[in-house]
């Protein structure tokens, strides 16, 4: 099964491959597995065994990217950090701007290679795929948010009726 520590390390490696620092990825893993209401910077340093300066850089990177938020619990002396609401939906929406940039890069490449068929085919494929992603990803995320809202919506159990009574409007 694995331990929380192994999960946190795996998260660090995973998010490092996506372009974050390993420490930032470990912070995300730690906050995902946290059973409380978030952690303060010294607590994260202690859990992850990293220097205060490294933690400061990681927290700034994550906060700037909209992945975590800083808040102060009542009667606390330090700010705490927690994942933002729908952190992964927000992260995907932020990355969607890159789809347009890749399509534009492919257009630039098409202008540069002229009529060379093999190069044009690769660049057209790149352009078309990223244009498709730029068009379809927003719809996909909208569907996800609608599904998530449907799941999160509490269901009201039907009120009991007596035999022969019409069903209640809530039921």
């Amino acid at each position: 099964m694995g331990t929380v520590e192994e999960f946190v390390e795996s998260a660090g490696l995973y998010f490092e491959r996506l372009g974050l620092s390993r420490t930032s990825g470990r912070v995300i893993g730690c906050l995902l597995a946290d059973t409380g209401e978030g952690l303060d910077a010294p607590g994260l340093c202690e859990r992850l065994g990293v220097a205060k300066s490294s933690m400061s850089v990681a927290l700034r990177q994550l906060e700037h990217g909209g992945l975590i938020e800083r808040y102060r619990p009542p009667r606390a002396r330090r700010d705490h950090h927690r994942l933002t609401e729908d952190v992964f939906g927000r992260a995907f929406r932020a990355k969607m701007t890159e789809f347009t940039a890749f399509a534009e890069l492919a257009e630039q490449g098409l202008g540069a290679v002229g009529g060379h068929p093999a190069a044009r085919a690769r660049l057209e494929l790149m352009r078309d795929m990223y244009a498709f992603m730029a068009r379809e990803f927003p719809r996909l995320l909208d569907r996800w948010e609608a599904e998530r809202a449907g799941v999160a919506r509490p269901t009201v159990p039907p009120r009991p009726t007596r035999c022969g009574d019409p069903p209640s409007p809530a039921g």
Side-chain angles (χ1 to χ4, degrees), residues 12-126:
L13 292 170
Y14 177 80
F15 286 104
E16 184 179 43
R17 286 191 300 270
L18 295 179
L20 294 176
S21 70
R22 187 175 300 187
T23 300
S24 293
R26 291 174 70 215
V27 168
I28 291 173
C30 193
L31 292 175
L32 281 168
D34 182 46
T35 58
E37 291 294 317
L39 297 162
D40 63 13
L44 285 163
C45 286
E46 184 179 324
R47 284 192 188 189
L48 300 178
V50 299
K52 185 178 171 183
S53 60
S54 295
M55 183 57 63
S56 177
V57 169
L59 292 173
R60 191 170 29 254
Q61 179 185 36
L62 294 170
E63 193 172 358
H64 178 72
L67 301 175
I68 66 169
E69 60 188 12
R70 182 189 321 224
Y71 73 102
R72 182 157 304 184
R75 296 180 299 282
R77 293 182 179 179
R78 291 189 172 108
D79 288 341
H80 282 58
H81 304 274
R82 61 184 168 205
L83 296 171
T84 56
E85 183 69 26
D86 193 27
V87 61
F88 299 108
R90 290 178 67 155
F92 271 100
R93 286 202 187 277
K95 287 288 188 186
M96 286 189 313
T97 60
E98 294 178 17
F99 296 148
T100 303
F102 274 113
E104 290 169 357
L105 179 64
E107 283 293 339
Q108 180 184 2
L110 285 166
V113 299
H116 191 277
R120 286 195 73 74
R122 287 190 299 270
L123 288 163
E124 287 169 351
L125 180 63
M126 177 182 166

Side-chain angles (χ1 to χ4, degrees), residues 124-143:
E124 287 169 351
L125 180 63
M126 177 182 166
R127 177 201 59 205
D128 294 347
M129 185 194 82
Y130 282 107
F132 172 82
M133 299 295 270
R135 251 188 350 264
E136 295 300 319
F137 251 76
R139 295 179 197 163
L140 184 62
L141 287 173
D142 289 345
R143 284 181 44 212

